[in-house]
Amino acid sequence: MALFPAFAGVSEASGDGSSRKELDWLSNPSFRVGNLTSLSQQTEEVTALVSAGSPLPRSPQKSELSGESDTGEKLTQISRKKKKEKKKKRKHQHHKKAKRRHEQSSSSGSESDTEAGKDRASRSIRDGQKESDKPRQGSNATAAAAADGPCSIWLEDIHTLTDVFRTDKKPDPANWEYKSLYRGDIARYKRKGDSCLGINPKKQCISWEGASAAKRHSHRHLERYFTKKNVGLMRTEGIAVCSNPEPPSSEPVTFIPVKDSADAATPVTTWLNPLGIYDQSTTQWLQGQGPAEQESKQPDLQQDRESAALKARVEEFNRRVRENPRDTQLWMAFVAFQDEVMRSPGIYALGEGEQEKHKKSLKLLLEKKLAVLERAIESNPSSVDLKLAKLQLCSEFWEPSALAKEWQKLLFLHPNNTSLWQRYLSFCQSQFGTFSVSKLHSLYGKCLSTLSAVKDGSMLSHPELPGTEEAMFGLFLQQCHFLRQAGHSEKVISLFQAMVDFTFFKPDSVKELPTKVQVEFFEPFWDSGEPRVGEKGARGWRAWMHQQERGGWVLVTPDEDDEDPEEEDQEIKDKSLPRWQIWLAVERSRDQRHWRPWRPDRTKKQTEEDCEDPERQVLFDDIGQSLIRLSSSDLQFQLVEAFLQFLGVPSGFLTPASCLYLAMDESSIFENELYDEKPLTYFNPSFSGISCVGYMEQLGCPRWTKGHNREGEEFVRNVFHLVLPLFSGKRKSQLCLSWLRYEIAKVIWCLHTKKKRLKSQGKNCKKLAKNLLKEPENRNNFCLWKQYAHLEWLLGNTEDARKVFDTALGMAGSSELKDRELCELSLLYAELEMELSPASRGATTGRAVHILTRLTESSPYGPYTGQVLSTQVLRARKAYEHALQDCLGQSCASSPAPAESLDCLGSLVRCFMLFQYLTVGIDAAVQIYGQVFSKLKGSALLEGPGPEDSTSSQSLTSVLEAVTLMHTSLLRFHMNVCVYPLAPLRETLSDALKLYPGNQVLWRAYVQIQNKSHSANKTRRFFDTVTRSAKHLEPWLFAIEAEKLRKRLVESVQRVGGREVHATIPETGLTHRIRALFENAIRSDTGSQCPLLWRMYLNFLVSLGNKERSKGVFYKALQSCPWAKVLYMDAMEYFPDELQEILDVMTEKELRVRLPLEELELLLED
């Protein structure tokens, strides 16, 4: 029968012998139809024999075949040999590669080992028979052998067989000794799932022993991008994509060309590659060979180029530092270059596995930097910058004790370096393990006394460096802020009292002595009990010294009409409150009342033993070492301004940058309610986030200048009365202005909170203003007239305020726009008229134009009578233009710009911008700003970053900043009264903030207008740009505030009436973004030591409800700011259960605790 029925006719028709051999494979000579009946008979016989257990009989056909020839015996021998060889080979492959198991066991996984053995034997016999069929020649012998029947029976071919099994009745004693059957006797199988067929899955289950399938085939979770492995992967440099070397054709191509196969080399056909389709690497793999070493590592041209360039830069750095070993900036650049070297694919790696270690090992990078720095210090042993860089680097992996010893060694070598002292004090202040208030206070005293000895020339080994006196004053202020934040406000007030006496009331006989001797002379005055600065009857050190030389003071009897001090209210008003709330209320109340040092009243026969709290007394040993000499008149005036700022008076003093962020501890920098109401006449007290003595409120409370109690207000008045006669001219005028602004700030507080006290407070404020203006030197002081008129306007007396303005302007006469104070007065008058009421817009605009027009005229000022003529407006515009060109020419022509022209320039530009806005429009005002900004910015850039004491550069920057503030305020006012796009204001603020990243007013305006936008991408990109380039902390603080405002807005939209609604602003990940901003901000030195930043971080985490994480951040904050008492008080409010523990830590670190728990228990019992 033909193997393929379709070719049956072809095989029969071919009679030719050669063609018959060619088509012989189409027929199957061993197959006959009669074999089907004999096959069924053989099956029945096999079944009977297997059941009886007897061996199978040899079939007669097989014996006849073996009798005819020895081919059968040869076949069996060949099959046995092949069977043994295959067994050995399979065993070897089983141990060598586990992958071949699947190829050997391709049949069902539930077959037994014995059956698999039978199958292998049957397959080997079948292979032997196939091979034995090949040598046979002729079709007659094959047909005869196949006609008698098959030579054996295959179990796979018998489909009707049901009971063919082997029964093993021989017992196995090992089953009694071991836990389970021998694994070789158990059939191999693969279990799919943990269930079993035939059971009810709801009521029955099977517990499989051994590892579960879930464990064996555990699903590997996908790793996020922030894991350690993926971060290292993202840091690797990408592979550069090489461009096509062939130049593009000029003709347009409509299809992608495919290279012709004829171009490729024709492969050589071999016995391994008969068709010629394998490439060279595949052919080598088939031969069991690997590629050549040169071919296995194909050179990466891009990586080689980068490595070569990097090696060249390393060699260049080595050559330059070898030629110029004294160049410290070059060494610092070489240290910074190590970051780039370690980020590159390790050019110094010994092997492939070491490359990743080089990239990931931070310790290796630090050690390389340290080695470079040590080599640099060997060449420059006197360089402080290199040693500071080494200490900062070693802080990453050195112990604090070892680091402190290195700091002390460095200070011993350079005791005259003020920046070194400042860094050392900041380091000691942020070490929680070794910190205590008394230890750090004495360290500040040692620092200031050492620098005083250097300044006096007592330390001959080290000369005085430039800027030592300014740096000493900055360190003194840093110590005062440290004591204020630690709760020791009495010591702060005593330090300022002693410094004012030591500076302004020093006897002439001791002025030429060294500072140490002067301090020794000052001690008897301090311990004499004489009234000090701020106390009633204070006369100063000099007067006391003269009186002592004459024979002592004459006792003065106290005035009989003196009022008794006001009785203290009951400290605990509600005893039913929780204990922590009572403690916080009493502690804050005592902070507000007891910030002045306690002294015994001699008239009442009090002694030091009468003081209930000994901590309120300040001894001379607490302040003696911190007294310094200030010879500069500017620094002496700044001392008084700083003292007033500590008392809560808006004196306009700017805290030095060295201690600004250490002193920031309250959130008044984000308050912009008053600025939103009146953007042109906004009253800015400029506290910069620094609280005053006696103020320790919780975060988020509005910072109002509400003043102190009666005794505190009397103290402030006494300070003003004592220091005002010490100055004259502009400085005295500035002090008077500060006093009046302090009283006006209290009026604004009464306007917004307590209107019952408004009448009395306004009366007192007006009385002070009139008394100041009555003094002869203040009668023509336009700054005081401006504040007095503004006060009347705030109190609602608009007509009285206009009379005051008209009177002041009438006294001025003609100044031709060169008087800065007169321009400021007219500007405020016009701005107040513009903001008066939107309803009477025409009348108020006419009044404002009249004011600014009469400012340019030479005739005396007259009150408003009617609409201004157009000719007057034109003449005024020409006058403004000429004056502006003259001021700009003077400012830009001479390299040190004259102070007078700069002072006049800022006020003149602001008046001209407002005039153009009122007469032409907003575009004209914007054009004026653009002209001035471009000129002043170019001049500032040409000057470059000069020294910090360069007054011309500072004044030029301040003028540009004031003009920018006026421009933004004008744009905001215009947007309030009419429709105007946000883009110009946004661009102006963005450009200004890149120049002044520390201006808080500009940041407040920027955050507010960006909060109205639904898209935060531009804001985030801008904040990211500024935070990367600027060293200020304000961008971080306001970036956090902007995200918090956005989160608050989203939550208010999503939760209307307590229900979840659809979010109209799709925003995700705000919480994580804010947390990431906090973490990035506290990584810097300034951010990690800023109490305000830690307070905001702690408050944010508590608002999320994560108590444990908030506690972790609190203890982390203590590691960096252990001196900030407000942090401990916030923690008591957030974690009431930890009250005792927090108080123990405060007591251990010697922070000021005014209410111990024992006293609280007694107060609660009473």
Side-chain angles (χ1 to χ4, degrees):
M1 182 178 178
L3 181 61
F4 299 99
F7 292 92
V10 175
S11 59
E12 292 174 0
S14 61
D16 191 10
S18 60
S19 62
R20 180 77 184 104
K21 288 180 181 180
E22 292 176 359
L23 301 175
D24 191 23
W25 62 278
L26 292 174
S27 62
N28 187 5
S30 64
F31 180 74
R32 295 289 183 272
V33 181
N35 291 343
L36 293 175
T37 54
S38 61
L39 184 62
S40 59
Q41 293 175 2
Q42 294 287 345
T43 303
E44 293 175 359
E45 292 177 4
V46 169
T47 305
L49 289 172
V50 169
S51 61
S54 59
L56 292 172
R58 187 181 295 272
S59 61
Q61 287 89 348
K62 191 173 182 180
S63 60
E64 289 173 5
L65 288 171
S66 61
E68 291 177 358
S69 63
D70 296 336
T71 309
E73 293 177 3
K74 292 180 181 179
L75 285 174
T76 53
Q77 291 177 1
I78 291 172
S79 64
R80 286 175 185 173
K81 287 182 181 180
K82 286 192 175 183
K83 181 178 179 181
K84 289 181 181 180
E85 290 176 359
K86 284 188 177 180
K87 276 189 178 181
K88 288 181 181 179
K89 194 173 183 180
R90 282 171 182 162
K91 275 188 179 181
H92 179 65
Q93 289 178 350
H94 173 75
H95 291 291
K96 189 175 182 182
K97 290 185 180 179
K99 292 182 180 179
R100 301 294 175 89
R101 293 177 184 172
H102 301 289
E103 298 174 4
Q104 294 173 7
S105 58
S106 58
S107 60
S108 176
S110 58
E111 293 173 355
S112 63
D113 291 339
T114 56
E115 290 172 350
K118 291 179 181 179
D119 294 342
R120 286 193 294 270
S122 62
R123 279 196 294 271
S124 63
I125 295 172
R126 188 188 309 170
D127 294 340
Q129 283 187 353
K130 287 180 181 179
E131 291 178 1
S132 64
D133 290 341
K134 293 179 183 178
R136 294 179 183 178
Q137 302 292 330
S139 60
N140 298 329
T142 307
D148 295 335
C151 59
S152 62
I153 300 172
W154 312 112
L155 293 179
E156 290 89 343
D157 299 333
I158 305 173
H159 299 287
T160 58
L161 199 59
T162 55
D163 298 327
V164 182
F165 294 100
R166 174 181 293 175
T167 304
D168 186 7
K169 295 184 178 180
K170 185 179 180 181
D172 188 1
N175 292 338
W176 296 95
E177 300 177 11
Y178 300 100
K179 184 179 178 180
S180 64
L181 296 175
Y182 173 55
R183 58 181 180 84
D185 295 340
I186 302 175
R188 289 199 300 262
Y189 63 93
K190 293 181 182 179
R191 187 173 73 242
K192 302 292 185 182
D194 292 335
S195 62
C196 183
L197 294 176
I199 65 172
N200 187 355
K202 294 183 179 179
K203 299 179 180 179
Q204 298 172 319
C205 67
I206 295 177
S207 176
W208 303 96
E209 293 184 358
S212 64
K215 288 184 179 179
R216 288 199 308 268
H217 306 285
S218 61
H219 178 67
R220 187 176 180 183
H221 294 284
L222 296 176
E223 295 179 343
R224 295 294 299 273
Y225 61 91
F226 49 75
T227 57
K228 186 177 181 181
K229 178 181 177 182
N230 289 330
V231 166
L233 187 63
M234 286 192 294
R235 286 178 179 172
T236 56
E237 297 292 336
I239 301 173
V241 179
C242 299
S243 61
N244 190 6
E246 298 178 1
S249 60
S250 59
E251 298 178 359
V253 181
T254 57
F255 61 91
I256 300 175
V258 181
K259 291 185 178 181
D260 192 1
S261 58
D263 299 339
T266 305
V268 181
T269 56
T270 59
W271 66 277
L272 280 174
N273 191 8
L275 300 178
I277 60 175
Y278 299 149
D279 59 358
Q280 185 179 1
S281 59
T282 308
T283 308
Q284 289 177 348
W285 181 81
L286 291 174
Q287 291 176 352
Q289 300 176 1
E293 187 175 356
Q294 290 79 9
E295 298 176 0
S296 61
K297 296 182 179 179
Q298 295 291 336
D300 189 353
L301 300 179
Q302 180 71 16
Q303 185 172 345
D304 286 349
R305 284 196 295 268
E306 291 178 0
S307 298
L310 204 59
K311 286 180 181 179
R313 290 187 63 188
V314 172
E315 293 173 1
E316 177 68 15
F317 266 113
N318 285 321
R319 182 186 61 78
R320 290 174 62 189
V321 298
R322 187 168 57 249
E323 294 174 355
N324 304 309
R326 299 291 182 184
D327 191 353
T328 56
Q329 296 299 324
L330 181 61
W331 282 108
M332 297 293 285
F334 194 20
V335 172
F337 175 66
Q338 301 306 314
D339 293 322
E340 185 177 350
V341 173
M342 296 304 292
R343 280 197 303 266
S344 66
I347 60 175
Y348 301 113
L350 301 178
E352 293 181 358
E354 205 165 331
Q355 183 175 342
E356 292 297 323
K357 295 180 183 178
H358 274 246
K359 277 192 288 186
K360 292 182 180 179
S361 178
L362 175 63
K363 187 176 180 182
L364 179 65
L365 174 62
L366 295 176
E367 288 176 352
K368 286 195 69 175
K369 287 186 174 183
L370 186 59
V372 175
L373 282 173
E374 287 176 349
R375 184 178 157 201
I377 292 172
E378 289 177 3
S379 304
N380 303 274
S382 61
S383 175
V384 181
D385 295 335
L386 291 174
K387 295 176 181 178
L388 275 176
K390 178 185 175 182
L391 284 175
Q392 188 173 4
L393 191 67
C394 293
S395 63
E396 299 287 339
F397 53 92
W398 277 12
E399 292 293 331
S401 57
L403 208 58
K405 289 181 181 178
E406 290 295 322
W407 270 108
Q408 292 169 3
K409 291 179 184 178
L410 188 57
L411 280 171
F412 180 77
L413 295 174
H414 307 279
N416 59 341
N417 193 307
T418 53
S419 63
L420 200 60
W421 276 107
Q422 200 273 333
R423 298 278 293 272
Y424 176 57
L425 290 169
S426 299
F427 165 76
C428 295
Q429 199 166 324
S430 59
Q431 296 296 315
F432 179 79
T434 58
F435 169 81
S436 68
V437 172
S438 60
K439 184 185 295 185
L440 201 65
H441 182 53
S442 62
L443 195 60
Y444 271 106
K446 180 183 177 182
C447 164
L448 291 173
S449 59
T450 304
L451 290 174
S452 295
V454 171
K455 188 173 180 296
D456 294 337
S458 304
M459 191 174 289
L460 301 177
S461 58
H462 294 81
E464 178 187 358
L465 298 177
T468 299
E469 190 173 358
E470 291 81 2
M472 288 171 64
F473 179 63
L475 290 170
F476 172 78
L477 291 179
Q478 184 173 329
Q479 180 186 12
C480 293
H481 281 297
F482 159 72
L483 291 172
R484 174 187 61 80
Q485 290 175 332
H488 296 271
S489 54
E490 301 93 346
K491 293 182 180 178
V492 178
I493 300 300
S494 297
L495 272 173
F496 275 109
Q497 286 177 324
M499 275 298 297
V500 170
D501 263 319
F502 195 74
T503 303
F504 297 102
F505 299 99
K506 189 180 297 181
D508 298 334
S509 57
V510 300
K511 282 186 177 180
E512 302 301 327
L513 299 175
T515 306
K516 185 178 181 181
V517 181
Q518 292 183 14
V519 171
E520 291 174 357
F521 274 101
F522 184 72
E523 184 175 1
F525 165 72
W526 186 264
D527 294 334
S528 64
E530 274 306 303
R532 301 168 188 164
V533 177
E535 299 175 3
K536 190 172 183 179
R539 303 179 187 181
W541 181 19
R542 185 189 301 115
W544 178 84
M545 195 80 148
H546 290 323
Q547 194 64 34
Q548 287 294 315
E549 293 172 356
R550 295 176 184 176
W553 289 110
V554 178
L555 291 177
V556 180
T557 57
D559 298 335
E560 295 180 357
D561 57 349
D562 279 355
E563 298 179 0
D564 295 333
E566 55 186 0
E567 297 182 359
E568 296 180 356
D569 297 334
Q570 187 177 359
E571 288 187 322
I572 302 178
K573 298 179 180 180
D574 188 1
K575 295 185 179 181
S576 61
L577 293 174
R579 195 169 63 151
W580 63 273
Q581 289 187 8
I582 297 174
W583 186 90
L584 283 174
V586 176
E587 184 75 13
R588 283 171 178 153
S589 172
R590 291 187 177 182
D591 272 328
Q592 291 175 1
R593 291 183 288 111
H594 297 162
W595 50 268
R596 289 167 290 106
W598 186 91
R599 301 187 65 206
D601 191 351
R602 305 296 182 186
T603 60
K604 297 180 181 180
K605 299 181 179 180
Q606 290 181 347
T607 60
E608 295 178 354
E609 286 75 14
D610 294 333
C611 182
E612 297 178 356
D613 188 0
E615 290 289 331
R616 293 186 62 192
Q617 300 183 50
V618 181
L619 305 178
F620 184 77
D621 293 340
D622 297 329
I623 64 168
Q625 281 190 315
S626 301
L627 296 179
I628 58 176
R629 277 199 299 178
L630 298 176
S631 57
S632 170
S633 59
D634 292 335
L635 291 179
Q636 291 176 0
F637 183 67
Q638 289 180 27
L639 173 67
V640 176
E641 282 187 319
F643 187 20
L644 294 174
Q645 189 192 53
F646 270 82
L647 295 175
V649 178
S651 60
F653 174 71
L654 298 178
T655 308
S658 59
C659 60
L660 173 62
Y661 301 119
L662 287 170
M664 289 177 66
D665 53 4
E666 52 98 13
S667 59
S668 63
I669 61 173
F670 305 121
E671 296 174 7
N672 53 1
E673 296 178 1
L674 301 179
Y675 184 50
D676 298 338
E677 295 175 3
K678 297 181 179 181
L680 291 176
T681 60
Y682 166 61
F683 182 80
N684 182 22
S686 68
F687 287 114
S688 303
I690 301 173
S691 60
C692 60
V693 290
Y695 183 87
M696 286 201 176
E697 297 296 332
Q698 61 184 1
L699 190 70
C701 287
R703 173 75 187 276
W704 298 103
T705 307
K706 54 187 177 182
H708 305 280
N709 54 7
R710 190 176 63 83
E711 295 179 355
E713 290 298 312
E714 184 181 357
F715 185 89
V716 174
R717 285 196 298 271
N718 291 334
V719 171
F720 272 111
H721 286 306
L722 185 67
V723 300
L724 275 175
L726 301 175
F727 302 96
S728 61
K730 288 185 177 181
R731 287 176 178 168
K732 185 174 183 179
S733 172
Q734 192 170 345
L735 287 177
C736 294
L737 184 63
S738 300
W739 193 359
L740 192 54
R741 282 167 63 88
Y742 175 61
E743 297 296 333
I744 291 176
K746 291 191 286 185
V747 170
I748 294 175
W749 171 67
C750 294
L751 277 170
H752 287 81
T753 54
K754 291 190 176 182
K755 295 191 176 181
K756 293 181 180 179
R757 295 179 53 184
L758 178 61
K759 186 175 181 180
S760 61
Q761 184 61 44
K763 184 178 178 182
N764 295 334
C765 192
K766 286 195 288 185
K767 183 180 178 181
L768 173 66
K770 291 177 181 178
N771 289 335
L772 291 174
L773 287 171
K774 283 179 183 178
E775 297 182 6
E777 62 269 19
N778 290 334
R779 287 178 182 173
N780 292 328
N781 191 338
F782 292 115
C783 293
L784 291 179
W785 281 102
K786 181 180 73 170
Q787 294 298 329
Y788 178 39
H790 194 190
L791 171 66
E792 293 284 0
W793 201 285
L794 288 172
L795 292 173
N797 307 324
T798 307
E799 293 300 326
D800 294 339
R802 285 172 177 165
K803 290 179 182 179
V804 174
F805 274 120
D806 293 340
T807 304
L809 290 173
M811 292 189 305
S814 62
S815 60
E816 297 181 359
L817 297 173
K818 292 183 179 179
D819 191 347
R820 185 184 68 87
E821 294 181 358
L822 184 61
C823 290
E824 294 284 345
L825 178 65
S826 303
L827 181 65
L828 178 65
Y829 192 8
E831 288 173 344
L832 288 172
E833 290 288 355
M834 287 176 61
E835 291 181 345
L836 188 59
S837 64
S840 58
R841 176 109 179 106
T844 55
T845 302
R847 284 182 176 273
V849 172
H850 168 75
I851 296 164
L852 295 174
T853 304
R854 294 302 299 267
L855 180 63
T856 61
E857 296 178 358
S858 58
S859 59
Y861 178 83
Y864 176 71
T865 55
Q867 191 70 25
V868 182
L869 299 176
S870 57
T871 55
Q872 294 177 326
V873 173
L874 185 59
R875 284 197 301 267
R877 184 177 296 115
K878 290 292 182 183
Y880 276 119
E881 289 175 356
H882 288 305
L884 180 60
Q885 293 299 328
D886 293 342
C887 285
L888 285 176
Q890 292 178 7
S891 302
C892 301
S894 55
S895 55
E900 298 179 357
S901 64
L902 287 175
D903 288 343
C904 180
L905 179 61
S907 305
L908 175 63
V909 171
R910 292 158 65 197
C911 289
F912 191 20
M913 287 175 64
L914 188 60
F915 177 79
Q916 289 290 87
Y917 173 69
L918 292 172
T919 56
V920 181
I922 187 65
D923 295 332
V926 171
Q927 187 178 0
I928 298 288
Y929 167 74
Q931 176 187 354
V932 175
F933 187 81
S934 60
K935 284 210 171 187
L936 291 184
K937 184 181 177 182
S939 302
L941 291 176
L942 287 174
E943 286 183 10
E948 294 181 358
D949 55 351
S950 176
T951 54
S952 62
S953 177
Q954 284 185 353
S955 56
L956 189 62
T957 305
S958 61
V959 167
L960 196 55
E961 196 169 354
V963 172
T964 306
L965 283 174
M966 176 64 187
H967 179 52
T968 55
S969 302
L970 200 59
L971 285 175
R972 296 197 68 181
F973 173 78
H974 184 68
M975 290 169 60
N976 290 340
V977 298
C978 61
V979 179
Y980 193 71
L982 267 176
L985 180 57
R986 186 184 290 116
E987 292 175 3
T988 302
L989 287 172
S990 302
D991 295 338
L993 285 170
K994 289 176 183 177
L995 291 176
Y996 316 111
N999 191 298
Q1000 298 173 4
V1001 180
L1002 291 176
W1003 278 118
R1004 280 196 291 267
Y1006 182 79
V1007 168
Q1008 186 180 13
I1009 65 166
Q1010 291 297 102
N1011 191 41
K1012 298 177 181 178
S1013 174
H1014 283 259
S1015 176
N1017 293 331
K1018 288 185 179 179
T1019 311
R1020 288 167 180 167
R1021 284 197 298 270
F1022 177 71
F1023 274 115
D1024 185 59
T1025 304
V1026 178
T1027 50
R1028 286 175 186 271
S1029 58
K1031 296 181 180 179
H1032 296 76
L1033 195 61
E1034 283 86 359
W1036 289 108
L1037 294 172
F1038 282 93
I1040 293 168
E1041 183 67 15
E1043 296 293 344
K1044 287 171 68 176
L1045 288 175
R1046 189 167 192 83
K1047 184 173 183 293
R1048 200 176 306 153
L1049 177 64
V1050 172
E1051 289 179 349
S1052 65
V1053 172
Q1054 289 177 343
R1055 295 173 179 86
V1056 178
R1059 297 175 299 168
E1060 295 289 336
V1061 298
H1062 180 68
T1064 57
I1065 307 176
E1067 192 72 65
T1068 57
L1070 274 175
T1071 301
H1072 302 292
R1073 181 181 293 275
I1074 296 172
R1075 188 181 291 121
L1077 284 172
F1078 275 118
E1079 290 293 337
N1080 288 327
I1082 62 179
R1083 285 177 187 170
S1084 62
D1085 294 337
T1086 55
S1088 63
Q1089 295 183 350
C1090 179
L1092 173 60
L1093 186 61
W1094 285 109
R1095 292 186 74 187
M1096 292 170 61
Y1097 195 8
L1098 186 60
N1099 180 49
F1100 172 70
L1101 290 181
V1102 170
S1103 67
L1104 297 179
N1106 195 339
K1107 191 174 181 182
E1108 293 302 322
R1109 190 160 191 170
S1110 305
K1111 278 186 181 180
V1113 169
F1114 166 63
Y1115 289 115
K1116 188 178 177 182
L1118 292 189
Q1119 299 291 329
S1120 301
C1121 303
W1123 72 90
K1125 183 180 176 181
V1126 285
L1127 279 174
Y1128 297 87
M1129 298 180 75
D1130 287 347
M1132 290 179 190
E1133 189 173 352
Y1134 300 146
F1135 319 117
D1137 301 336
E1138 310 292 336
L1139 176 64
Q1140 182 66 54
E1141 181 183 349
I1142 295 172
L1143 279 175
D1144 292 343
V1145 176
M1146 292 177 68
T1147 308
E1148 178 189 353
K1149 298 303 175 185
E1150 300 176 358
L1151 272 74
R1152 186 79 165 91
V1153 179
R1154 300 181 183 272
L1155 180 63
L1157 280 183
E1158 296 79 10
E1159 185 180 353
L1160 178 62
E1161 298 294 340
L1162 293 175
L1163 290 174
L1164 289 175
E1165 288 178 3
D1166 296 341

